[in-house]
Amino acid sequence: MTTHTDETTPLASAEYAPERPARLEWAKHAPEVYKAMVRLETAARKGLDHTLYELVKIRASQINHCAFCIDMHTKDALAAGESVERIVQLSAWDESRHFYTAKEIAALELTEAVTVLTDGFVPDEVYDNAAKHFEEAELAQVIAAITVINAWNRFGVTCRMAPGHYEPGQYK
């Protein structure tokens, strides 16, 4: 059993549930797919504001319940100077819009619509709002970023990649 050892918290002696092992080290067994995903990731982030990019990645990962990606992108965002407050509010961004710019809100709305395609399409009002805030080339990059993090999330959730071990910038 894992025991929390950080002496600065009130839970210093609390016993935590054991970490579940990964189901599959998919990158090891499909290295060409992994390399292609890294190339796609690199291409998708070009020209995008780093803060907006990390907010999109965290929000999609929250929706998809990808603990590994939430851990990674939260740590990267914090290391890049993002505030704890904005990250904490991200899961309820629609109720705390005053923490985000209009452009970030448009990106978050689009992230949710693309990530949860339960109606089979992205609503016109969501797309039109994003199109008001992004030039076409930048909008294409935002859509690419949302699509790529959703793909990463599917690997992470399916293979049960364990959160908590990532160090900021580890895969850059």
Side-chain angles (χ1 to χ4, degrees):
M1 228 177 268
T2 305
T3 304
H4 188 60
T5 59
D6 182 353
E7 300 296 327
T8 63
T9 68
L11 301 176
S13 62
E15 289 190 26
Y16 289 80
E19 182 175 305
R20 297 188 310 176
R23 287 180 173 150
L24 176 71
E25 292 182 53
W26 77 270
K28 175 181 167 185
H29 297 290
E32 292 306 313
V33 176
Y34 177 77
K35 289 176 194 172
M37 285 295 297
V38 170
R39 287 191 304 273
L40 188 57
E41 172 83 24
T42 300
R45 80 170 136 224
K46 285 193 192 248
L48 289 181
D49 173 75
H50 183 72
T51 298
L52 183 132
Y53 185 66
E54 291 298 339
L55 291 175
V56 162
K57 291 167 81 167
I58 295 166
R59 185 63 192 128
S61 299
Q62 289 172 336
I63 294 166
N64 290 322
H65 304 281
C66 185
F68 181 85
C69 292
I70 292 168
D71 179 59
M72 174 189 292
H73 299 300
T74 298
K75 287 176 178 175
D76 282 345
L78 289 168
E82 182 56 81
S83 74
V84 170
E85 191 170 46
R86 282 172 34 105
I87 292 172
V88 167
Q89 291 300 319
L90 194 53
S91 65
W93 68 266
D94 200 29
E95 294 296 320
S96 52
R97 289 173 171 250
H98 60 284
F99 286 94
Y100 308 99
T101 67
K103 190 172 187 174
E104 290 168 341
I105 290 169
L108 293 171
E109 288 172 340
L110 188 60
T111 299
E112 292 198 2
V114 172
T115 301
V116 184
L117 290 172
T118 54
D119 293 331
F121 60 91
V122 173
D124 289 339
E125 60 274 8
V126 170
Y127 183 87
D128 292 344
N129 188 41
K132 285 192 303 193
H133 293 282
F134 296 94
E135 297 293 326
E136 285 185 345
E138 189 179 21
L139 181 57
Q141 291 299 123
V142 171
I143 294 167
I146 296 166
T147 301
V148 172
I149 190 57
N150 273 280
W152 282 120
N153 289 165
R154 272 114 182 107
F155 285 115
V157 171
T158 303
C159 297
R160 194 185 285 146
M161 296 171 65
H165 305 286
Y166 179 77
E167 296 294 326
Q170 181 176 336
Y171 296 124
K172 292 183 180 187

